[in-house]
Amino acid sequence: RVLFRSLGDEQTFSDIMKEAIEQDPNNPALYYNLGIVSRNNGNFEDAESYYKMSIDVDPSYLNSYYNLIELKISSTNSFREEIGDLGFSKEDETKFNQLNDKIKQAYRDTIPLLEYVISVNNDELDIKQLINIYNALEMYEESAKLKELLPVRSEEHTSELQSPDHL
């Protein structure tokens, strides 16, 4: 990132990353950086490919998982916008179903990625994200199992107002 900021030119940065890959093809950060540049340029398919290459090189490189998850989930935004523009005709109903299927597929694609990330770091936010995806896909049994991994909140940590004992 420091190199990219000092260059200020994504194409030059991308060229340097590709040259670096020739020298060090087993460095997942190089593919990851190309994924970021591709994402920033709107080349989502290339970004996905680079993140996957980074994971292939080093399956424990979590940054690539996170960016791939974000890429998949953000891809649903355009489908949702299209759904919002639909009317009530038979054609629109067909289009709605097609777009909804694409959203569900994007969510299904994130499941193994999130499951891996959770297996490594057991992060509460990742668990909640996967629970939301399970619920969106009506995978309620999986969601319930995953909820068991969430920490139990004690009464003293709730946001409800407590009456003082001394009054």
Side-chain angles (χ1 to χ4, degrees), residues 115-130:
E115 287 175 339
Y116 174 75
V117 168
I118 290 167
S119 76
V120 171
N121 66 13
N122 204 34
D123 182 76
E124 185 176 347
L125 292 175
D126 296 331
I127 294 169
K128 287 179 178 179
Q129 186 173 24
L130 185 53

Side-chain angles (χ1 to χ4, degrees), residues 35-36 38-40 42-52 63-79 106-107 109-110 113 129:
I36 290 174
S38 296
R39 170 85 166 91
N40 290 346
N43 299 324
F44 304 118
E45 288 179 17
D46 287 349
E48 181 175 346
S49 293
Y50 284 124
Y51 294 141
K52 286 180 177 179
N63 288 339
S64 292
Y65 285 88
Y66 282 118
N67 282 24
L68 191 51
I69 290 164
E70 187 275 331
L71 189 68
K72 295 282 187 186
I73 290 175
S74 68
S75 74
T76 67
N77 293 338
S78 63
F79 304 140
Y107 286 163
D109 290 346
T110 65
L113 302 170
Q129 186 173 24

Side-chain angles (χ1 to χ4, degrees), residues 7 10 18 35 52 61 65 74 116 123 140 142 151 154-155 159:
L7 291 173
E10 288 185 349
K18 288 176 183 174
K52 286 180 177 179
Y61 197 76
Y65 285 88
S74 68
Y116 174 75
D123 182 76
Y140 302 119
E142 290 85 347
S154 67
E155 219 177 280
S159 60

Side-chain angles (χ1 to χ4, degrees), residues 9-113:
D9 176 13
E10 288 185 349
Q11 186 57 52
T12 302
F13 179 77
S14 183
D15 292 343
I16 291 170
M17 290 296 103
K18 288 176 183 174
E19 288 176 27
I21 287 171
E22 290 178 19
Q23 300 300 315
D24 188 8
N26 295 319
N27 185 337
L30 301 174
Y31 299 98
Y32 168 80
N33 287 332
L34 284 171
I36 290 174
V37 171
S38 296
R39 170 85 166 91
N40 290 346
N41 288 327
N43 299 324
F44 304 118
E45 288 179 17
D46 287 349
E48 181 175 346
S49 293
Y50 284 124
Y51 294 141
K52 286 180 177 179
M53 283 186 242
S54 174
I55 291 168
D56 287 344
V57 167
D58 182 356
S60 66
Y61 197 76
L62 291 182
N63 288 339
S64 292
Y65 285 88
Y66 282 118
N67 282 24
L68 191 51
I69 290 164
E70 187 275 331
L71 189 68
K72 295 282 187 186
I73 290 175
S74 68
S75 74
T76 67
N77 293 338
S78 63
F79 304 140
R80 291 179 195 288
E81 287 174 17
E82 283 187 66
I83 286 173
D85 294 336
L86 295 175
F88 298 99
S89 70
K90 192 68 173 165
E91 294 83 21
D92 285 343
E93 183 180 336
T94 300
K95 182 71 172 173
F96 170 85
N97 290 332
Q98 292 169 343
L99 292 168
N100 200 38
D101 287 344
K102 289 180 179 183
I103 291 170
K104 288 180 178 179
Q105 185 58 52
Y107 286 163
R108 282 190 290 274
D109 290 346
T110 65
I111 290 173
L113 302 170

